[in-house]
Amino acid sequence: MRGGASRAFLEFRRRSFRLERFRKSCGLLWADAKAVMSVPVRETSSNNGMESKQEMARSLLKTSSMSIRTKLLHKTGVSLYDTSHGFHEEVVKKKLQQFPGGSVDLQREDSGIGILTLNNPSKMNAFSGVMMLQLLERVIELESWTEGKGLIVRGAKSTFSSGSDLNAVKALGTPEDGVAMSMFMQNTLTRLMRLPLVSVALVQGRAMGGGAEVTTACDFRLMTRESEIRFVHKEMGIVPSWGGAARLVNIIGNREALKVLTGALKLDSKKALDIGMVEEVLQSSDETESLEEAQEWLKQFIKGPPEVIRALKRSVSSGKELCLEEALQNERDLLGTLWGGPANLEAIARRAKFNK
């Protein structure tokens, strides 16, 4: 494990990269609006049209088009793609239904932790078509679990996942099929990422290809000593298509992500820890014991009322995905749901009693 200074530098570099992305996305919008507003209004018959454009620009500066992303970020049940993008979910579901095998199981604990298990051990927990459908179903269940605070994603029998089942990959061989499956899985994993639950990928054994991409949809990653994460897409003649590349950049920065993807690097637990891909290497490699370790690790971050933990996760998601102005507005709105609420009043009462 590297020293504190090295880890601090990695964190600084990741934050700098994210800040630059925010500045670019917001800056383009600002520049377009300012360009319209700076055009002088001449005394011609076209004045009304120009004034209308300038009014639209002012409105844009006040309530940018990023508000659409805000709605997507916080309205449950909303996906990235729909028919306006040429994506027809029911058609894709019918195709995926043709490839059975395995299951995606969900266990909800009284502690507020959900355990999502990829269960297809005869194929190293590769995703069959049915498993892709079930993953979406489980995410929808979690979206409505108001008592939930945390989530652990794992694979059965001490293996995380080897990605897509090759039988489905071979059968869905056209570019149109590949893009449709990509949109389906991007929809699902984006909804998983945006769940108001603190999520952890527990990596035992191998997380390969699509399995590696799934780990990036979680807030944190924990590994056992003998496990590995590897983005093997280059060797398959493709790129990550479930959103893994974009999320990987957010996790480890563009330079490290480029090395990992173009080198198809094998990230053992030490390497993954060094580059900031994982938070911690667990002591045990036993399936049951490592799950218990992961639960104990997660519990330190989900102590407190569900409504508070969930609001904190939403606040961080906003800071990650939205421009600063919109993230601040969302933070304000979240505060409005908690200020003067039961958890807030109880905490104030405890402090008052302690200070007497």
Side-chain angles (χ1 to χ4, degrees):
M1 184 174 180
R2 289 183 178 178
S6 178
R7 294 295 295 274
F9 173 74
L10 284 171
E11 181 62 23
F12 171 77
R13 189 170 66 183
R14 285 197 293 271
R15 289 184 180 181
S16 299
F17 172 77
R18 290 169 187 161
L19 178 60
E20 184 61 24
R21 288 187 66 186
F22 284 146
R23 291 173 61 187
K24 287 180 179 178
S25 61
C26 296
L28 288 174
L29 187 64
W30 176 263
D32 289 345
K34 284 183 71 178
V36 174
M37 290 183 67
S38 65
V39 176
V41 179
R42 295 185 176 88
E43 296 296 328
T44 67
S45 59
S46 62
N47 280 2
N48 290 340
M50 180 55 69
E51 288 173 355
S52 175
K53 289 181 180 179
Q54 288 183 327
E55 186 60 36
M56 288 174 62
R58 292 188 186 96
S59 176
L60 181 64
L61 292 175
K62 291 179 181 177
T63 56
S64 75
S65 61
M66 295 291 284
S67 60
I68 297 173
R69 290 177 61 189
T70 305
K71 292 176 183 177
L72 287 175
L73 185 60
H74 297 297
K75 186 176 180 181
T76 58
V78 177
S79 298
L80 292 174
Y81 304 111
D82 54 28
T83 53
S84 68
H85 303 94
F87 176 68
H88 301 277
E89 186 174 275
E90 293 307 315
V91 175
V92 177
K93 284 182 175 179
K94 286 181 181 179
K95 289 187 177 181
L96 293 176
Q97 194 70 47
Q98 300 172 24
F99 306 99
S103 63
V104 178
D105 307 320
L106 177 61
Q107 179 182 345
R108 292 185 284 191
E109 303 284 334
D110 292 338
S111 62
I113 295 177
I115 301 173
L116 191 71
T117 303
L118 311 177
N119 193 352
N120 193 10
S122 64
K123 294 188 176 181
M124 294 180 62
N125 298 325
F127 276 89
S128 66
V130 167
M131 285 177 69
M132 293 180 190
L133 296 174
Q134 288 186 1
L135 179 61
L136 175 58
E137 292 170 3
R138 301 298 171 260
V139 169
I140 292 172
E141 286 182 46
L142 289 166
E143 286 175 340
S144 61
W145 186 31
T146 56
E147 298 82 15
K149 298 188 287 184
L151 177 68
I152 295 174
V153 181
R154 62 191 284 264
K157 304 298 182 183
S158 298
T159 296
F160 191 80
S161 173
S162 58
S164 299
D165 185 348
L166 289 180
N167 289 331
V169 172
K170 291 176 182 177
L172 301 172
T174 68
E176 292 77 13
D177 285 335
V179 169
M181 184 167 67
S182 168
M183 288 193 285
F184 182 86
M185 289 301 289
Q186 284 187 16
N187 274 350
T188 300
L189 292 180
T190 299
R191 289 171 70 168
L192 172 63
M193 179 183 71
R194 290 175 174 169
L195 286 171
L197 307 172
V198 181
S199 58
V200 180
L202 170 56
V203 182
Q204 299 170 285
R206 294 180 174 180
M208 311 281 282
E213 293 193 68
V214 172
T215 71
T216 66
C218 295
D219 300 312
F220 304 107
R221 284 146 294 281
L222 301 173
M223 294 178 74
T224 56
R225 292 189 182 279
E226 298 80 13
S227 58
E228 68 177 84
I229 300 173
R230 191 177 180 210
F231 294 80
V232 296
H233 304 79
K234 182 185 79 168
E235 297 181 353
M236 299 297 293
I238 57 173
V239 299
S241 59
W242 296 358
R247 293 189 297 267
L248 184 66
V249 169
N250 278 329
I251 295 167
I252 61 175
N254 61 307
R255 292 175 64 189
E256 288 293 346
L258 190 59
K259 292 177 188 176
V260 168
L261 295 175
T262 59
L265 299 183
K266 175 183 174 181
L267 300 179
D268 58 25
S269 58
K270 182 180 184 303
K271 176 68 173 176
L273 188 65
D274 284 347
I275 66 173
M277 183 70 183
V278 301
E279 303 303 312
E280 197 170 302
V281 178
L282 301 178
Q283 295 297 315
S284 178
S285 295
D286 177 78
E287 183 175 17
T288 302
E289 292 179 2
S290 60
L291 177 58
E292 291 174 354
E293 271 192 77
Q295 287 176 296
E296 288 303 311
W297 186 90
L298 179 55
K299 283 178 182 178
Q300 65 185 310
F301 302 110
I302 61 170
K303 293 178 182 177
E307 64 271 22
V308 176
I309 303 301
R310 294 164 68 86
L312 287 168
K313 169 62 186 288
R314 289 187 186 277
S315 181
V316 171
S317 295
S318 296
K320 181 172 66 173
E321 294 194 55
L322 302 178
C323 284
L324 178 61
E325 182 180 348
E326 294 242 337
L328 291 174
Q329 291 171 0
N330 187 68
E331 189 174 298
R332 173 204 64 198
D333 294 342
L334 289 168
L335 176 65
T337 68
L338 298 173
W339 190 281
N344 180 227
L345 294 177
E346 184 180 335
I348 292 172
R350 284 199 309 269
R351 290 298 180 96
K353 184 178 180 180
F354 178 77
N355 290 332
K356 284 182 178 180

